Amino acid sequence: MDLPVIVTGIFGAFVIFGGVMGYVKASSKASLIAGGITGGLLLLSAFLIARNYAAGIILGIVVSLLLVGQFGPSLFKKFKVMPNLLVVILGVITVVTLAASFYQ
């Protein structure tokens, strides 16, 4: 498999899992819905990348940047490893991987 497909798929699965954990721990329906939608979009992105559609790369970059933009500022306000730091790190790795793939 292609590295961008693997990285995007892992990030998507992590985001879905994080949404479920937010719902289980804090009864946050917003976490469940947001995690399900953004994680689902990342998995769709991985699927499209595997089928050689450039739209998959663009979708993955946009969703990853949105997640980094959402979790980044809260990471600097109060440093929490879970979920803030992990989402930011995985988001940046995904963006870099997808951008490199796009320009190849």
Side-chain angles (χ1 to χ4, degrees), residues 2 7 12-13 15-16 19-21 27 38 40-41 44 46 52-53 57 61 65-66 70-71 74 84 93 98 101:
D2 221 7
V7 169
V15 170
I16 290 171
V20 171
M21 290 307 298
S27 297
T38 55
L41 287 173
L44 174 63
N52 292 321
Y53 289 109
I57 294 173
I61 289 173
L65 287 175
L66 287 172
Q70 176 66 34
F71 285 88
S74 61
N84 298 345
I93 290 170
L98 292 177
S101 172

Side-chain angles (χ1 to χ4, degrees), residues 64-94:
S64 297
L65 287 175
L66 287 172
L67 287 168
V68 169
Q70 176 66 34
F71 285 88
S74 61
L75 173 65
F76 291 113
K77 286 181 184 172
K78 56 180 180 179
F79 188 82
K80 288 174 54 181
V81 172
M82 191 62 179
N84 298 345
L85 180 63
L86 290 175
V87 170
V88 169
I89 289 173
L90 290 174
V92 169
I93 290 170
T94 303

Side-chain angles (χ1 to χ4, degrees), residues 45-64:
S45 170
F47 175 78
L48 292 174
I49 294 167
R51 301 285 185 249
N52 292 321
Y53 289 109
I57 294 173
I58 295 167
L59 176 64
I61 289 173
V62 168
V63 173
S64 297

Side-chain angles (χ1 to χ4, degrees), residues 5-53:
V5 174
I6 294 169
V7 169
T8 307
I10 289 171
F11 189 34
F14 174 78
V15 170
I16 290 171
F17 178 74
V20 171
M21 290 307 298
Y23 179 73
V24 169
K25 287 188 174 187
S27 297
S28 172
K29 290 182 184 176
S31 291
L32 183 63
I33 293 168
I37 290 171
T38 55
L41 287 173
L42 286 167
L43 291 178
L44 174 63
S45 170
F47 175 78
L48 292 174
I49 294 167
R51 301 285 185 249
N52 292 321
Y53 289 109

